[in-house]
Amino acid sequence: MRLSPRNRLAAATALGAAAVLLIAGPASAHVTVQPSSVPKNATDQTFAFRVPNEDDKNSTVKVEIDFPTDHPIPSALVAPVPGWTDTIQTTKLATPIHTDDGDITDVVSQIVWTGGQIAPGHYQDFTVDLGALPDGTDKVVFKALQTYSDGNIVRWIDEARDGQPEPKNPAPVLKLTAATADGDSAASGAKAEPSAKADQSAKAEPSSQTATTAAKSSSDSTARALGIAGIVVGVLGAAAGVVLGRRGRRADGSNASA
């Protein structure tokens, strides 16, 4: 049977769309720290933990961020989020951190937000100003627990490993790059302006960021997956056109001989 050019194009498009679903389907938004990378000597240490709601029916009602103890962060200031109550937990170090201002023995171990809601299809930024970035490491791995209104808890605690696929529930990771000559300018992308962000959030919607879907908060891995999907679509579409074209020519040849 001979396929018209229109039918050939439709078949190629359908094949390409199926490839996109296969590749992009498993990728989903997860809890991240924004920005995800700063120089080690960055002087602006304001970050936002972005929490998307991936449940179609239930709201997120509790967010817990666990801080590392192997590379501790001495202190943190939390920007208020309308509708949410924050609690900072600290822990005592076995070996104090020596600074020019004296020894630090107590460091941040956990920050918990409760009382608010992140509705399905929305996300919320929880802004924190870190007192100082840790030394002796090129990354800071946080662990996040996201509790839904039905009691389900999603644990974003798995650390990605080089050369291995991204885990299902990756932990938020802040990468610390090489120090720059000007820490301020290098870290300008990290500025989140806690008070301004809180004011904007209060004017927009108390419980969550509005007019934004969870798809918009997709991770870098999602973007990479979609980019690969685009390449696959083009390849498969071209291949499908060639195959269908050959079939059409065979069919023409058969009809002519008949």
Side-chain angles (χ1 to χ4, degrees):
M1 179 180 69
R2 181 180 181 183
L3 294 176
S4 66
R6 178 178 297 178
N7 289 338
R8 294 175 187 172
L9 179 59
T13 301
L15 186 60
V20 171
L21 293 176
L22 287 175
I23 294 177
S28 59
H30 51 257
V31 177
T32 57
V33 57
Q34 306 287 335
S36 60
S37 176
V38 295
K40 293 181 179 180
N41 65 330
T43 56
D44 186 341
Q45 295 128 2
T46 301
F47 303 90
F49 291 99
R50 178 161 294 182
V51 182
N53 190 324
E54 296 183 309
D55 196 298
D56 295 332
K57 299 179 180 179
N58 300 289
S59 297
T60 296
V61 296
K62 183 178 181 181
V63 175
E64 304 172 54
I65 302 295
D66 290 331
F67 282 55
T69 55
D70 54 345
H71 298 288
I73 294 175
S75 62
L77 293 176
V78 182
V81 181
W84 293 82
T85 299
D86 57 78
T87 303
I88 300 178
Q89 304 288 342
T90 61
T91 186
K92 187 173 293 292
L93 295 175
T95 302
I97 300 175
H98 301 290
T99 70
D100 294 338
D101 297 325
D103 290 348
I104 297 176
T105 57
D106 296 314
V107 295
V108 179
S109 59
Q110 184 186 71
I111 302 178
V112 180
W113 287 269
T114 57
Q117 290 189 5
I118 306 174
H122 292 71
Y123 73 85
Q124 179 66 58
D125 283 344
F126 296 91
T127 305
V128 178
D129 191 318
L130 303 181
L133 298 176
D135 295 326
T137 183
D138 58 2
K139 63 181 177 180
V140 182
V141 181
F142 301 92
K143 294 185 178 182
L145 272 63
Q146 181 177 11
T147 302
Y148 285 92
S149 53
D150 64 349
N152 181 44
I153 300 177
V154 180
R155 302 175 185 276
W156 304 99
I157 61 175
D158 298 328
E159 186 175 351
R161 303 293 181 183
D162 293 339
Q164 296 184 8
E166 184 179 66
K168 181 181 179 180
N169 295 322
V173 176
L174 172 62
K175 295 181 180 179
L176 303 179
T177 59
T180 61
D182 186 352
D184 283 324
S185 61
S188 59
K191 294 182 179 179
E193 298 296 344
S195 58
K197 180 178 286 294
D199 291 342
Q200 293 172 1
S201 178
K203 293 177 181 178
E205 180 179 337
S207 61
S208 63
Q209 302 288 348
T210 59
T212 307
T213 62
K216 192 174 181 180
S217 63
S218 297
S219 63
D220 293 340
S221 61
T222 303
R224 289 195 297 270
L226 291 176
I228 297 173
I231 297 174
V232 174
V233 168
V235 174
L236 292 179
V242 172
V243 172
L244 294 175
R246 291 178 177 175
R247 291 182 178 176
R249 288 197 294 272
R250 292 197 197 98
D252 290 343
S254 299
N255 292 336
S257 61

